[in-house]
Amino acid sequence: MSRQPEVLWAQRSDKIYLTISLLDAEDVSVKSEPQGLFTFSAKGARGEPVGFSLELYGRIAPEGCKVNIGIRNILCSVQKEEKGWWKRLLKSEEKPAPYLKVDWNRWCDEDDEVDISFGDSDDALEDDIDESSDEEGMLYLPDLEKAGRR
C-alpha cells in the first residue's frame, strides 16, 4: 500500500499546476490520459511506495503536460484540452482527499489572470515549471524586498 504525498494545485484557463511534495523521490512515474486521469507514483526517500490517482474535472492534452523533478518536490503542468476555468480540480463533487490543497502561491482568480502580480505572465509561470527548483530543490520565490520597492 502506498502513501499519498501532499499535493498543491492551482489553475489557469489553459493549465492545471500540481506541486507534489516528496523529498528525494526516485523512480518517478507521471501518466496523464485524455479523459482527465492523472496518475503519479514514485519511491520516497526511504524507498517506500508513494502514489495517487486523480480524476480531473475536465479533459486534458497529455502531449502538453510537463514534469520537473526537484529534490523536495515534483512540479507538473497539466495542459487542459479546452481553454476555460474549471469549477473544481476533480470530477467528483465530494470533498477532496486531505492531501490535496490549494497552492495559494500560484493561485489566480479568473478575473485576475490577465493582470498577474509582479508583472508575471503565463510564460513566466511556465518557466517556473521548467526551472523552478534551485540546487536544494526549493521552489523559486520572488525577492519580496525588491518587489516592495517598485
Side-chain angles (χ1 to χ4, degrees):
M1 183 172 167
S2 65
R3 69 177 179 89
Q4 293 85 22
E6 180 180 66
V7 179
L8 302 178
W9 76 279
Q11 77 169 311
R12 298 289 184 271
S13 61
D14 60 340
K15 291 180 179 52
I16 295 291
Y17 295 104
L18 299 172
T19 303
I20 303 159
S21 299
L22 186 59
L23 185 66
D24 295 328
E26 295 179 359
D27 300 332
V28 174
S29 173
V30 175
K31 296 178 185 170
S32 52
E33 298 178 20
Q35 71 272 21
L37 185 62
F38 179 89
T39 306
F40 172 85
S41 66
K43 286 185 183 176
R46 296 184 196 112
E48 75 278 9
V50 179
F52 63 90
S53 290
L54 302 174
E55 190 173 358
L56 300 175
Y57 182 78
R59 294 182 59 84
I60 59 175
E63 65 280 354
C65 298
K66 296 180 181 181
V67 177
N68 183 12
I69 302 169
I71 293 172
R72 298 177 194 261
N73 51 47
I74 294 97
L75 302 171
C76 302
S77 171
V78 181
Q79 184 75 42
K80 293 178 181 177
E81 185 176 84
E82 293 183 18
K83 206 170 184 176
W85 287 81
W86 293 354
K87 293 185 218 178
R88 57 188 173 272
L89 175 64
L90 304 177
K91 187 172 280 190
S92 171
E93 292 186 29
E94 295 175 13
K95 184 177 179 181
Y99 67 89
L100 284 173
K101 299 176 181 175
V102 173
D103 186 347
W104 295 113
N105 291 326
R106 289 192 187 274
W107 191 261
C108 177
D109 289 327
E110 188 173 356
D111 298 340
D112 299 332
E113 183 175 28
V114 178
D115 184 33
I116 298 173
S117 64
F118 298 115
D120 287 343
S121 68
D122 201 33
D123 292 335
L125 286 173
E126 194 60 36
D127 290 342
D128 276 356
I129 292 295
D130 294 332
E131 300 175 20
S132 65
S133 45
D134 63 16
E135 296 151 4
E136 298 175 15
M138 298 293 290
L139 289 175
Y140 166 78
L141 295 174
D143 187 337
L144 297 177
E145 186 176 317
K146 289 180 184 175
R149 286 188 242 154
R150 287 185 180 179

